Amino acid sequence: MGLIVIKFGGSSLSTTERIKNAAQRIHSLKKGGKEVVVVVSAMGKTTDQLLELAGQITDNPAKREMDMLLATGEQVSISLLSMALSEMGAPAVSFTGWQAGIVTEKVHSNARIVDVKTDHIKEKLNEGKIIVAAGFQGVTEDGEITTLGRGGSDTTAVALAAALGAERCLICTDVTGVFTSDPRYVPQARKLPSISYDEMLELANLGAGVLHPRAVEFAKNHRVPLEVRSSTENKEGTIIEEEVSMENNLIVRGVAFEKDMTRLTIFGLKNEMTGLSAVFSELANNQIDVDIIIQSQTDGNKTNLSFSIKNKDRQAAVQVLENQKDKIGFDSIEYEAGLAKVSIVGSGMISNPGVAAQMFQVLADKDIQIKMVSTSEIKVSVVINEDKMKEAAQILHEAFQLGEVVGEVQ
């Protein structure tokens, strides 16, 4: 008997009717002879409502107490879904994150999973039960409840699939699969039948919100086959695995974009071996993520350093660096907000030189100024003005012929 892990997001469980529909899908898997472990998020806007409640109490809540608060959202989902399954004759048992054996590091609000203890789950599976587990949450070795941050339920599902040796992990969401770009911005975007872990990881890191990067990374490391599919339509989705069929002439597989970016520039940084490490160590110690980095030599023994960060981190980043100005050694800081990052991704880039040049030319032809560039073997990212983001995504999608399938080869 094969085992399936299936995850439902908050929008898929936003009403009791949708919970019943999810239960029907799960029941069908069980009747088809599968062992089933379900991972769920909090219902609809529950997490937002809990955050709002906390905000009415304090502007600076303790992270530990926020984890205690937010973890309650999934408990509502798991209990109601278990009731719905039992009502239709499918015995189910609900587990919180700690009951499901999700052990995390000692970090509140953005913890990483360090172990999955499956004895309790296996015991109930052997009794013929469907397991309904809370996503997004876990517990430290010393019993502290933690949450996994954005996309945490996806990560929970993949972690359980890996630990239990599941044949597949289904991520059911409000989209029908992984698209060549966001169809809300690029109407010509189409659903991909399959995509590699590496391509999906790049797209997730670059702004595609279908899956969280941590979940994709976990799936890649443990070789867990993923499928992103609709929570309401019983249609095939997009398979994410190591090897995928390559479509003819499709060097680029997707266009991703992310707004609300800031370029921060440090002028007059001492050109010493420790200068760069001092800057990024201070930022890392304050949980500020840095993306594209550019260093330029100036006259004398100094350099200028530019990097991109999220708008929400701008104030904290400036404050952290200014507080350590004498220690790090630099003259001044300036920033430019109102930026966006647009990226093309595809494993076919490895063997096809000139993709970056084509991208730059396409943007230049439309007078879209490129402010920063970053590349890897399978992606090229540019930072541009945010008001040009939608146009850039559309013209790149068209330029690399992502709207039509020419055919497939194995």
Side-chain angles (χ1 to χ4, degrees), residues 84 86 90 102 145 152 190 198 245 250 253 348 378 380 399 404:
S86 297
I102 304 296
I145 291 176
R190 62 179 178 83
D198 287 336
S245 60
L250 204 59
R253 302 268 286 168
I378 65 170
V380 182
E404 299 180 6

Side-chain angles (χ1 to χ4, degrees), residues 94-111:
S94 62
F95 284 169
T96 62
W98 69 266
Q99 289 174 315
I102 304 296
V103 182
T104 75
E105 61 186 355
K106 297 179 181 181
V107 174
H108 286 291
S109 81
N110 195 32

Side-chain angles (χ1 to χ4, degrees), residues 266-269 271 295-305 331:
I266 300 174
F267 293 97
L269 179 67
N271 192 16
Q295 183 183 17
S296 57
Q297 185 74 40
T298 63
D299 294 335
N301 193 34
K302 294 184 177 182
T303 65
N304 294 336
L305 178 68
D331 294 336

Side-chain angles (χ1 to χ4, degrees), residues 18 52 117-118 125 266 287 300 319 335 360 402:
R18 290 191 174 188
E52 184 179 344
K117 299 178 179 180
T118 60
L125 286 173
I266 300 174
Q287 287 78 51
Q319 189 65 55
Y335 65 82
F360 301 154
L402 296 180

Side-chain angles (χ1 to χ4, degrees), residues 60-70 107-110 144-147 286-287:
N60 189 30
K63 289 185 177 181
R64 179 190 185 278
E65 302 310 324
M66 284 304 299
D67 280 358
M68 290 290 284
L69 176 66
L70 297 181
V107 174
H108 286 291
S109 81
N110 195 32
E144 288 289 314
I145 291 176
T146 56
T147 61
N286 287 273
Q287 287 78 51

Side-chain angles (χ1 to χ4, degrees), residues 74-248:
E74 282 70 27
Q75 283 191 246
V76 177
S77 299
I78 60 175
S79 56
L80 290 176
L81 183 54
S82 295
M83 292 176 194
L85 286 163
S86 297
E87 185 69 14
M88 60 182 59
V93 58
S94 62
F95 284 169
T96 62
W98 69 266
Q99 289 174 315
I102 304 296
V103 182
T104 75
E105 61 186 355
K106 297 179 181 181
V107 174
H108 286 291
S109 81
N110 195 32
R112 288 182 176 271
I113 296 172
V114 296
D115 193 15
V116 181
K117 299 178 179 180
T118 60
D119 291 349
H120 199 188
I121 287 180
K122 288 179 177 178
E123 177 186 336
K124 295 301 180 182
L125 286 173
N126 289 337
E127 295 175 3
K129 301 287 182 63
I130 295 171
I131 309 300
V132 183
F136 178 66
Q137 61 183 250
V139 66
T140 64
E141 289 286 4
D142 55 3
E144 288 289 314
I145 291 176
T146 56
T147 61
L148 309 182
R150 189 174 67 87
S153 293
D154 290 347
T155 308
T156 302
V158 175
L160 285 172
L164 294 166
E167 63 181 52
R168 181 165 294 184
C169 180
L170 306 179
I171 305 294
C172 295
T173 183
D174 52 4
V175 296
T176 56
V178 179
F179 282 69
T180 52
S181 194
D182 188 333
R184 294 172 300 178
Y185 293 82
V186 184
Q188 296 78 21
R190 62 179 178 83
K191 185 177 72 177
L192 292 165
S194 61
I195 190 169
S196 72
Y197 291 125
D198 287 336
E199 289 171 326
M200 189 67 243
L201 187 57
E202 287 284 12
L203 287 171
N205 275 315
L206 295 168
V210 179
L211 279 172
H212 193 272
R214 195 179 295 178
V216 182
E217 182 180 17
F218 213 109
K220 173 180 169 61
N221 291 341
H222 296 275
R223 294 294 187 266
V224 176
L226 292 178
E227 182 178 354
V228 177
R229 62 189 307 168
S230 170
S231 58
T232 57
E233 302 177 48
N234 193 18
K235 295 180 179 179
E236 290 186 1
T238 300
I239 304 296
I240 304 161
E241 54 191 349
E242 189 63 31
E243 297 293 334
V244 300
S245 60
M246 294 297 294
E247 295 171 331
N248 286 335

Side-chain angles (χ1 to χ4, degrees), residues 49 53 68 80 85 189 212 267 323 340 345 347 369 407:
Q49 292 165 359
L53 283 174
M68 290 290 284
L80 290 176
L85 286 163
H212 193 272
F267 293 97
N323 288 344
V345 175
S347 55
Q369 181 184 6

